[in-house]
Amino acid sequence: MTIHIQQFKGYETAGIYTYETIDPLTGCTDSVQLTLGVIPLGEGICLSGIENKNSNELNIYPNPARDEINIISGKSIEAVMLTTIDARNVLFSQYKINDTFAKIVLSENLSGGLYLITIISGGQRYYRKIIIL
């Protein structure tokens, strides 16, 4: 049975909702559980290729990267995270943050592919795509 999204209008807060359906042919009742998470407008991760509005404050190189990633920011770097596209965290071999500069040494066993790097700098989150060779 296909449940159309219009049937779920009105759920504007995060939570777990149960929706009861009745098959009109058999009369059988089915229960569907919907887990809803609400992401406030402007806080989701966008991988469309459109950069943050102050993207000139951030420089990530080299891209593609092989052994290390360097980050230069116009503001103090507070944290750096690397995740796979399916949101699994990646551990660094080592990293160093020195105010507006960060250097990340990648693990030797890291598979090549497309990754997402998140930088928290000046109280803002920046998301960038990076290719690991």
Side-chain angles (χ1 to χ4, degrees):
M1 171 181 284
T2 303
I3 299 172
H4 299 284
I5 197 68
Q6 292 92 335
Q7 295 173 332
F8 292 107
K9 283 186 177 178
Y11 297 115
E12 296 176 359
T13 59
I16 298 174
Y17 299 93
T18 302
Y19 180 75
E20 298 288 328
T21 61
I22 299 174
D23 188 321
L25 298 176
T26 63
C28 293
T29 306
D30 194 12
S31 179
V32 176
Q33 193 172 47
L34 171 70
T35 303
L36 181 66
V38 178
I39 300 173
L41 190 61
E43 291 186 18
I45 298 174
C46 178
L47 296 176
S48 67
I50 299 171
E51 301 291 338
N52 298 56
K53 61 183 176 180
N54 296 321
S55 63
N56 58 345
E57 296 178 0
L58 200 58
N59 188 11
I60 302 169
Y61 64 93
N63 191 5
R66 185 176 311 273
D67 302 318
E68 64 184 34
I69 301 169
N70 298 295
I71 304 162
I72 299 174
S73 176
K75 298 178 182 174
S76 181
I77 298 172
E78 298 147 34
V80 177
M81 293 160 278
L82 186 66
T83 56
T84 59
I85 290 301
D86 60 349
R88 289 183 286 168
N89 287 330
V90 174
L91 296 177
F92 307 134
S93 176
Q94 58 180 301
Y95 70 96
K96 181 178 181 180
I97 297 176
N98 184 4
D99 195 30
T100 60
F101 177 78
K103 181 176 189 164
I104 293 144
V105 178
L106 301 170
S107 297
E108 290 179 11
N109 60 355
L110 186 61
S111 299
L114 183 63
Y115 290 81
L116 182 67
I117 190 163
T118 305
I119 298 110
I120 301 174
S121 177
Q124 290 188 319
R125 285 182 186 261
Y126 297 89
Y127 303 95
R128 298 291 187 273
K129 293 177 277 187
I130 189 157
I131 297 171
I132 307 294
L133 299 175

